[in-house]
Amino acid sequence: AQKITQTQPGMFVQEKEAVTLDCTYDTSDPSYGLFWYKQPSSGEMIFLIYQGSYDQQNATEGRYSLNFQKARKSANLVISASQLGDSAMYFCAMSFGGSQGNLIFGKGTKLSVKP
Amino acid sequence: SAVISQKPSRDICQRGTSLTIQCQVDSQVTMMFWYRQQPGQSLTLIATANQGSEATYESGFVIDKFPISRPNLTFSTLTVSNMSPEDSSIYLCSPGQGSYNSPLHFGNGTRLTVT
């Protein structure tokens, strides 16, 4: 069965520093996608970054990068130069080839950026 | 990405009543996913709605409690029936094309409180 694990319930980071949010996954399907979402206190789910299982290079989107280690089944999100507006819940999610495209979500990590 | 309009954005309802949530997308999509996010929790898939067929419900969710309509490829509704305080959650819709490597984008959600 597919599973996403986020082991950090909460994280603190100083403004302008980088932070890594951990995510591990489990699937036997060779085709899968890994996603990160941001959920501010207002509640909307904002897509940040995607990594496909066949992608050779780590995905990057602006200040976000995904540290994809396939053998370890990890897909950590790295946020560089943290800003106060980065304070939010962050969810790691996975979709897989045998699905209809729906996502399985981890429990999330609450990131707090300190000034 | 598609523009997703979800209504209402929030509601306070009395137990025993029903609420219908609407999700409108500005382009045709194959599937509509409905998710629930209970307070302090992650997102859980309720059901997948395809046009012209009955929705497919995940374990723990039943059609009598969460009836879904999908009259066309741009619109869907989710009804939360005979509500109890345990139904207090954020409900989110997400259009999908049935591909594991496409990110899902979400409506702004419906924040439901049942008293």
Side-chain angles (χ1 to χ4, degrees), chain A residues 18-29:
Chain A
V19 63
T20 298
L21 306 183
D22 294 343
C23 173
T24 58
Y25 61 93
D26 191 17
T27 181
S28 57
D29 198 313

Side-chain angles (χ1 to χ4, degrees), chain A residues 58-79:
Chain A
N58 288 343
T60 60
E61 288 287 348
R63 294 188 298 112
Y64 304 109
S65 60
L66 201 153
N67 184 1
F68 181 46
Q69 298 188 39
K70 194 170 184 176
R72 298 181 59 185
K73 293 190 174 181
S74 74
N76 298 339
L77 177 70
V78 180
I79 304 175

Side-chain angles (χ1 to χ4, degrees), chain B residues 21-39:
Chain B
I21 301 167
Q22 299 180 2
C23 185
Q24 178 77 53
V25 187
D26 69 345
S27 59
Q28 294 184 342
V29 294
T30 306
M31 294 162 184
M32 196 76 79
F33 301 113
W34 286 97
Y35 284 84
R36 180 178 74 179
Q37 186 179 25
Q38 295 178 298

Side-chain angles (χ1 to χ4, degrees), chain A residues 25-76:
Chain A
Y25 61 93
D26 191 17
T27 181
S28 57
D29 198 313
S31 303
Y32 54 89
L34 297 158
F35 307 81
W36 278 92
Y37 288 83
K38 172 184 179 181
Q39 187 178 42
S41 57
S42 53
E44 71 263 36
M45 291 291 287
I46 302 168
F47 165 70
L48 296 177
I49 195 166
Y50 160 80
Q51 180 84 43
S53 59
Y54 299 110
D55 293 342
Q56 297 294 317
Q57 294 192 336
N58 288 343
T60 60
E61 288 287 348
R63 294 188 298 112
Y64 304 109
S65 60
L66 201 153
N67 184 1
F68 181 46
Q69 298 188 39
K70 194 170 184 176
R72 298 181 59 185
K73 293 190 174 181
S74 74
N76 298 339

Side-chain angles (χ1 to χ4, degrees), chain B residues 57-58 60-67:
Chain B
Y57 289 81
E58 298 298 305
F61 298 97
V62 295
I63 187 171
D64 290 346
K65 177 66 175 177
F66 297 102

